[in-house]
Amino acid sequence: TLKSGGMGVYSWISWGGSYVPSMPSLSWPSWFSSTPVPDAKPVLDLSDLPVESLIKELRRRIDCVNAPEARIVLLGPPGSGKGTQAPKIKRDQCICHLATGDILRKAVEAKTPLGVKAKEAMLRGALVSDELVVGIISDALKAPECRNGFVLDGFPRTIAQAEMLDEMLRRKG
């Protein structure tokens, strides 16, 4: 969490309820915002978590750096356990979980170009076209958490969707 200090922007790290200022010249990951936040509060207080759990999660994330690529598609009728198994696979394989409904909602909410087109279709009461869905999946695959691959939850549902997905993945390499 960042707070504006007298000399510029400083980052503040919370550990055990106390704020520790770090140097403004540190190189932060791209997701870390440098925008000053008035009266900043800690994003996550790790003081109540057991050290063993923190170390285990850190080791898992380090192992993910060299994890092999995986592309997994879960197929099955509603209630068959796709949504239950996908998060477990995501964690074990160090890949992202893409549930079509979730990524459609996120694209609409973020007002991406494809999300706007999807919203227009929904407002007309039409189904979102396969082309739009595959395009939104393609956009979602650009996220850093998808660098090692993905688990698709309930997509594709038709042979045509599977062929479009296959072609899109072939173009991506």
Side-chain angles (χ1 to χ4, degrees), residues 1 12 15 20 27-28 30 34-35 40-41 54 68 94 106 116 120 126 131 159 165 167 172:
T1 303
W12 296 80
W15 188 269
V20 181
S27 174
W28 292 97
S30 61
S34 61
T35 306
K41 292 184 174 64
L54 292 170
C94 304
K106 285 179 187 174
V116 169
E120 290 169 0
E131 291 82 7
I159 292 172
L165 176 65
E167 179 59 31
K172 282 188 173 289

Side-chain angles (χ1 to χ4, degrees), residues 100-130:
T100 313
D102 293 344
I103 61 174
L104 271 171
R105 280 186 288 281
K106 285 179 187 174
V108 168
E109 201 174 283
K111 297 181 180 160
T112 66
L114 294 175
V116 169
K117 289 180 181 178
K119 184 175 182 177
E120 290 169 0
M122 290 183 230
L123 289 174
R124 288 192 316 269
L127 291 175
V128 178
S129 72
D130 292 346

Side-chain angles (χ1 to χ4, degrees):
T1 303
L2 294 176
K3 228 180 162 174
S4 181
M7 300 283 293
V9 176
Y10 292 86
S11 61
W12 296 80
I13 302 167
S14 173
W15 188 269
S18 60
Y19 291 95
V20 181
S22 63
M23 299 305 292
S25 61
L26 286 177
S27 174
W28 292 97
S30 61
W31 50 263
F32 194 86
S33 170
S34 61
T35 306
V37 178
D39 302 317
K41 292 184 174 64
V43 174
L44 180 62
D45 183 1
L46 302 176
S47 63
D48 292 333
L49 296 175
V51 172
E52 295 80 18
S53 297
L54 292 170
I55 292 171
K56 183 179 176 184
E57 177 62 16
L58 183 59
R59 284 186 181 139
R60 186 192 71 78
R61 289 182 183 209
I62 290 169
D63 290 343
C64 285
V65 171
N66 297 317
E69 186 174 332
R71 293 177 171 180
I72 300 169
V73 176
L74 299 180
L75 302 172
S80 63
K82 300 179 300 292
T84 300
Q85 295 304 314
K88 294 174 185 178
I89 294 169
K90 169 191 171 178
R91 181 176 174 81
D92 293 345
Q93 298 295 316
C94 304
I95 56 179
C96 67
H97 171 206
L98 300 176
T100 313
D102 293 344
I103 61 174
L104 271 171
R105 280 186 288 281
K106 285 179 187 174
V108 168
E109 201 174 283
K111 297 181 180 160
T112 66
L114 294 175
V116 169
K117 289 180 181 178
K119 184 175 182 177
E120 290 169 0
M122 290 183 230
L123 289 174
R124 288 192 316 269
L127 291 175
V128 178
S129 72
D130 292 346
E131 291 82 7
L132 279 176
V133 174
V134 171
I136 290 171
I137 289 171
S138 178
D139 286 350
L141 290 174
K142 294 173 186 172
E145 61 268 18
C146 296
R147 72 180 173 278
N148 289 341
F150 57 85
V151 56
L152 281 173
D153 176 354
F155 184 88
R157 294 182 183 198
T158 66
I159 292 172
Q161 289 176 345
E163 290 169 345
M164 291 177 73
L165 176 65
D166 192 43
E167 179 59 31
M168 181 267 295
L169 293 172
R170 192 174 299 118
R171 284 192 310 268
K172 282 188 173 289

